[in-house]
Amino acid sequence: MPEGDTVFLAATRLRAALVGQRLLETDFRVPRLATTNLAGQSVTEVVPRGKHLFLRTDGGWSLHTHFRMQGEWHLYRPGQRWGAKAHEVRVVLRTAPWVALGVRLPVCELLPTGEEARVVGHLGPDPLGPDWDPDEAVRRLRGAPDLAIGEAVLDQRLIAGAGNVYKSEICFLRGITPWTPTGEVPDLEGFVALLARLLRANRATGNQITTGDPRPGRGRWVMERTGRPCRRCGTPIRMARQPSYGTDRPTYWCPSCQRGQGPPS
Ligand SMILES: [Zn+2]
């Protein structure tokens, strides 16, 4: 599941492969861009911002993609067999050394580079961004004191980059339930600092390890561990749904290790 660190890693790989390369052929498989052609332009930069990614060209264009739940970027050598189904491919960018494939990207649009702020200007501070501002993240979170911390962490206007994995894991690590009102979270500065550390620790791999143990099945405290014993106290981990942008997302917690209110019954 893409989170800020996943997008950061994708941007790192795309940057290494494409920056400085001329686009030989572009194929946009979304209706709005069906006639768009960037061939002849060169890739100048690939920039992650929260869960958004911008691929900029020297023609002054930015290809904006958002990963949501399913999106991926793949890189192949020319002639190499694709590991994506044709109907899932949204964009194909061909350069001499690499073919980049945007797969299952729910957002794929082109805009002038100068207008990137139009789609990400609302985002809160990004722990993986060059301008990370933890004090501003704390200030924005404090501005939503009644919002459950598990919802606040996913609200990209307050702090950018975290998704469902980090939501559950950070609440476990800080010993509070995801339903704790943000205004009642003790040491919000420490909460934000740890979330930033987790995202940064995983940006080179995208593995979303929070326990420090990279072995298969050991990387997380509570995420997707419903009914299994808490790694600290042995209490069965629980799961309940919590709203996020109009959908209910599974949220995991240890009812012994984490203090505060539980899910609304
Ligand atoms: Zn526990």
Side-chain angles (χ1 to χ4, degrees), residues 172 222 229-237 253-258:
F172 176 84
V222 294
C230 171
R231 297 187 195 281
R232 271 194 190 143
C233 74
T235 303
I237 299 300
W253 82 108
C254 171
S256 296
C257 290
Q258 293 172 253

Side-chain angles (χ1 to χ4, degrees), residues 228-245:
R228 300 181 58 198
C230 171
R231 297 187 195 281
R232 271 194 190 143
C233 74
T235 303
I237 299 300
R238 293 184 60 193
M239 187 278 279
R241 304 233 158 220
Q242 191 172 29
S244 166
Y245 287 102

Side-chain angles (χ1 to χ4, degrees), residues 64-86:
H64 167 228
T65 55
H66 189 290
F67 288 58
R68 294 252 166 81
M69 305 286 283
Q70 303 278 331
E72 291 173 358
W73 276 94
H74 297 185
L75 283 167
Y76 299 100
R77 293 296 187 181
Q80 191 183 349
R81 194 182 154 84
W82 294 352
K85 299 190 177 97

